[in-house]
Amino acid sequence: MPEAVISAVDLRKSYRVKGKPDLVAVDGLSFEVAPGESFGLLGPNGAGKSTTMKMVGAVSTRSSGQLQILGLDPDRHGPDIRSRLGVVPQQDNLDAELNARENLFIYGRYFGLPARVCHRKADELLAFAQLEEKARSKVDQLSGGMKRRLTIARALVNDPRILLLDEPTTGLDPQARHVLWDRLFRLKEQGTTLVLTTHYMDEAEQLCDRLIVVDEGRIMAEGSPSELIRRHSTREVLEVRFGSERNQQVAPRLEGAGERVEVLPDRILVYTHDGERALERITAEGLTPVTSLVRRSSLEDVFLRLTGRSLIE
């Protein structure tokens, strides 16, 4: 097995709060990321994802535990590590006074790259991001999806070994998200290691080879998307709606229709290996849902099982 590019053992981060016990943001995380892997961190707001990303990005020191990035300790070799990373923040922080090409050129100069190299890379990255026609456009003239692609392109100026992406497609429409996914797939095919946080379960299933589900600073589960679904859910899920006023009342009568029943405000989820058969069993009991849907299990079902709440809070 190739040596891990990221290795964390019992990683912890806490903050002092005057007059109160220390706030523990990361509570003993242990994980490894292999070269060329696409690795995801999933969890609700406040779970410790962004804090972990900051420690991996060598911009926040750890409280205890071990952390190695590309074989180096980020607390002692921060500048060296940061020079080999690409970072895509949650909010685009492009320079609005510059056009798209200038944003790439100037960022390359920050890394000490020669001007001729920055010119070449700017052209290459504009092509990669499908923004050649917008090279002379100011940032404010770009759509949300274009700005996001430009931010990712900028993060690639220094040929990073690892690309850190914090919620890369938040706020984008479906078409823009799929274009961005395609660009990230291409990076992965080129051997770039991707580490991302996301609130979108379909995005995690599409992009991640492996992921961890984090809650309250601790790992709740780890594995590939398909492994987690097999381990923590059933093959299918039956969604039935009886009306928001009746769902809670009807739910006890659905026990036994599947392996597990989950009551949400707007619907009831019946976890089963045969959704159609579960629906037949429910209607045989004289219950007629307003709507019904049989679908395959997803990572969102895994998250509900592990934390009992939706990812988007």
Side-chain angles (χ1 to χ4, degrees):
M1 292 290 291
E3 183 178 355
V5 294
I6 300 174
S7 176
V9 179
D10 199 24
L11 183 63
R12 298 176 185 273
K13 179 69 176 182
S14 59
Y15 298 94
R16 290 187 177 180
V17 182
K18 188 175 181 179
K20 297 181 180 179
D22 288 353
L23 174 64
V24 179
V26 176
D27 190 10
L29 298 188
S30 296
F31 62 89
E32 289 189 345
V33 180
E37 186 175 30
S38 182
F39 184 81
L41 289 86
L42 275 62
N45 294 331
K49 305 185 305 297
S50 294
T51 302
T52 301
M53 291 284 271
K54 289 177 180 178
M55 289 188 285
V56 171
V59 295
S60 178
T61 59
R62 62 189 182 276
S63 299
S64 63
Q66 301 176 31
L67 181 61
Q68 295 281 315
I69 311 298
L70 299 170
L72 301 174
D73 184 335
D75 287 356
R76 291 189 294 164
H77 303 280
D80 194 7
I81 291 172
R82 289 192 292 272
S83 70
R84 307 190 211 179
L85 300 179
V87 178
V88 179
Q90 187 173 345
Q91 299 294 329
D92 294 323
N93 56 358
L94 299 163
D95 193 326
E97 298 299 317
L98 305 177
N99 63 36
R101 193 177 190 282
E102 289 168 343
N103 264 275
L104 299 176
F105 177 84
I106 296 298
Y107 199 69
R109 295 294 284 163
Y110 289 153
F111 284 93
L113 298 176
R116 66 181 184 280
V117 174
C118 291
H119 282 301
R120 174 175 56 80
K121 283 186 170 292
D123 292 335
E124 291 174 352
L125 291 171
L126 285 170
F128 170 81
Q130 296 180 322
L131 292 172
E132 299 103 317
E133 296 181 358
K134 299 294 183 178
R136 303 298 178 184
S137 299
K138 290 292 184 69
V139 168
D140 290 342
Q141 298 174 314
L142 303 178
S143 68
M146 291 175 181
K147 290 177 183 177
R148 210 65 183 135
R149 298 205 304 275
L150 182 58
T151 301
I152 290 177
R154 187 188 62 178
L156 300 173
V157 163
N158 60 323
D159 294 323
R161 293 275 307 280
I162 303 171
L163 183 62
L164 305 179
L165 304 111
D166 193 0
E167 299 183 24
T169 65
T170 295
L172 299 185
D173 61 57
Q175 183 179 19
R177 289 178 68 204
H178 281 276
V179 172
L180 198 57
W181 287 355
D182 177 69
R183 300 299 96 182
L184 295 177
F185 274 126
R186 290 172 183 265
L187 286 176
K188 186 176 179 303
E189 289 176 345
Q190 295 167 11
T192 303
T193 302
L194 307 180
V195 179
L196 66 125
T197 70
T198 181
H199 276 159
Y200 298 124
M201 297 295 92
D202 56 339
E203 181 163 271
E205 289 192 55
Q206 286 283 339
L207 297 180
C208 296
D209 299 317
R210 195 164 50 87
L211 55 88
I212 55 176
V213 179
V214 181
D215 193 20
E216 297 182 349
R218 296 186 293 271
I219 294 178
M220 307 295 290
E222 179 177 359
S224 69
S226 59
E227 288 172 348
L228 291 177
I229 292 170
R230 287 196 301 269
R231 194 182 310 153
H232 298 283
S233 190
T234 52
R235 187 170 65 88
E236 293 183 343
V237 179
L238 169 63
E239 296 187 4
V240 288
R241 289 179 168 86
F242 294 91
S244 57
E245 300 297 325
R246 294 193 61 215
N247 285 338
Q248 197 72 43
Q249 300 172 359
V250 171
R253 298 180 61 183
L254 304 187
E255 296 294 339
E259 294 189 7
R260 185 168 59 91
V261 174
E262 183 93 30
V263 183
L264 301 182
D266 62 331
R267 63 193 186 279
I268 303 174
L269 307 182
V270 180
Y271 291 89
T272 175
H273 292 287
D274 189 337
E276 293 293 345
R277 186 170 182 178
L279 181 59
E280 291 174 1
R281 183 168 180 174
I282 290 171
T283 55
E285 292 290 327
L287 297 171
T288 304
V290 176
T291 64
S292 62
L293 170 69
V294 176
R295 59 170 175 81
R296 71 175 183 87
S297 281
S298 68
L299 277 178
E300 185 170 352
D301 299 305
V302 172
F303 193 88
L304 286 169
R305 178 72 180 272
L306 295 173
T307 69
R309 61 179 180 271
S310 171
L311 271 176
I312 301 178
E313 297 182 333

